[in-house]
Amino acid sequence: EAEVAQSPRYKITEKSQAVAFWCDPISGHATLYWYRQILGQGPELLVQFQDESVVDDSQLPKDRFSAERLKGVDSTLKIQPAELGDSAMYLCASSNKNRRNSPLHFGNGTRLTVT
Amino acid sequence: GIQVEQSPPDLILQEGANSTLRCNFSDSVNNLQWFHQNPWGQLINLFYIPSGTKQNGRLSATTVATERYSLLYISSSQTTDSGVYFCAVERGNNNDMRFGAGTRLTVKP
């Protein structure tokens, strides 16, 4: 079964440094999501793409976070500068909203620790 | 925005026992999914179930959309069922999936 690929699996960085995460969705999935999950809570949406366009980034802290999906396939989420409170699991998901009954599929996530 | 409440927040079972997890949501939805998050953090899709009943092995789910709730049934639980179970709902076709806080299940041998 096709999977959503994410890298790196783990990332440790010092505060004020820059960090980037990469996601490759399931082939053919036009919709891509970045979620952040703080320990003990459910995932919360940061940004949603439809092809290369941002559909929703209302919860993205735009002073330090940025996301792009230039060719409408893979995507990069960047944090600069990282803060201690950014320590969390960053999850990428994709779905095929052009098809009815298309569920969300998640990657394995990137666990970020900011020291 | 739409509110998603899951209960119970924590559940401890003996291996072999059955359980029911509940998800209540505050508005009509056109998409509902149940996920299992394993101890390594991976979110695994269990059911896509905006309405009706589905079964997959020892797991089944029922969504009553008109009454705004969904139930996840786990029968003959195994230690590998341990983890956090999340319900997520989507209100419109281009809206994001909103997650509940999850039910943490521990199955003891």
Side-chain angles (χ1 to χ4, degrees):
Chain A
E1 183 176 295
E3 294 182 349
V4 176
Q6 285 190 251
S7 66
R9 187 77 177 91
Y10 302 94
K11 181 69 177 179
I12 300 173
T13 191
E14 293 182 350
K15 63 180 181 179
S16 79
Q17 295 299 304
V19 64
F21 315 128
W22 176 80
C23 172
D24 192 12
I26 293 173
S27 177
H29 280 194
T31 309
L32 184 148
Y33 310 79
W34 283 101
Y35 281 85
R36 177 171 61 184
Q37 186 179 20
I38 295 169
L39 193 64
Q41 299 180 17
E44 293 182 327
L45 182 74
L46 291 174
V47 61
Q48 177 183 346
F49 289 92
Q50 181 69 23
D51 299 307
E52 67 276 8
S53 300
V54 173
V55 173
D56 183 358
D57 64 355
S58 57
Q59 301 303 310
L60 188 72
K62 298 181 187 63
D63 57 335
R64 298 184 300 108
F65 285 64
S66 64
E68 60 183 17
R69 193 183 184 199
L70 294 176
K71 296 182 180 179
V73 181
D74 59 335
S75 175
T76 302
L77 177 69
K78 297 179 181 178
I79 308 175
Q80 182 172 17
E83 296 180 353
L84 295 177
D86 296 332
S87 295
M89 175 77 91
Y90 289 83
L91 294 158
C92 179
S94 71
S95 70
N96 186 359
K97 283 194 175 292
N98 294 324
R99 190 169 67 84
R100 282 178 60 86
N101 302 328
S102 175
L104 213 59
H105 295 269
F106 280 88
N108 288 336
T110 295
R111 191 175 296 278
L112 174 67
T113 302
V114 182
T115 62
Chain B
I2 192 168
Q3 304 298 313
V4 184
E5 294 183 357
Q6 291 187 243
S7 60
D10 293 278
L11 186 59
I12 300 174
L13 299 175
Q14 207 65 37
E15 197 169 28
N18 303 328
S19 62
T20 301
L21 283 56
R22 188 178 180 100
C23 172
N24 291 334
F25 41 95
S26 61
D27 204 344
S28 58
V29 299
N30 69 341
N31 183 4
L32 187 147
Q33 286 184 251
W34 282 97
F35 295 90
H36 174 220
Q37 190 165 42
N38 63 24
W40 296 271
Q42 186 180 10
L43 274 166
I44 298 166
N45 182 31
L46 297 176
F47 292 103
Y48 174 93
I49 186 166
S51 64
T53 297
K54 291 186 178 180
Q55 181 157 6
N56 184 2
R58 296 180 297 104
L59 273 60
S60 65
T62 295
T63 297
V64 184
T66 53
E67 297 186 22
R68 299 180 184 170
Y69 73 88
S70 183
L71 302 173
L72 178 68
Y73 305 97
I74 305 174
S75 64
S76 304
S77 58
Q78 301 175 357
T79 56
T80 52
D81 294 332
S82 295
V84 184
Y85 289 81
F86 287 103
C87 165
V89 301
E90 178 188 17
R91 199 154 49 85
N93 279 332
N94 286 318
N95 291 347
D96 61 286
M97 295 288 284
R98 295 294 176 102
F99 283 75
T103 292
R104 179 173 297 279
L105 174 66
T106 303
V107 181
K108 296 187 172 183

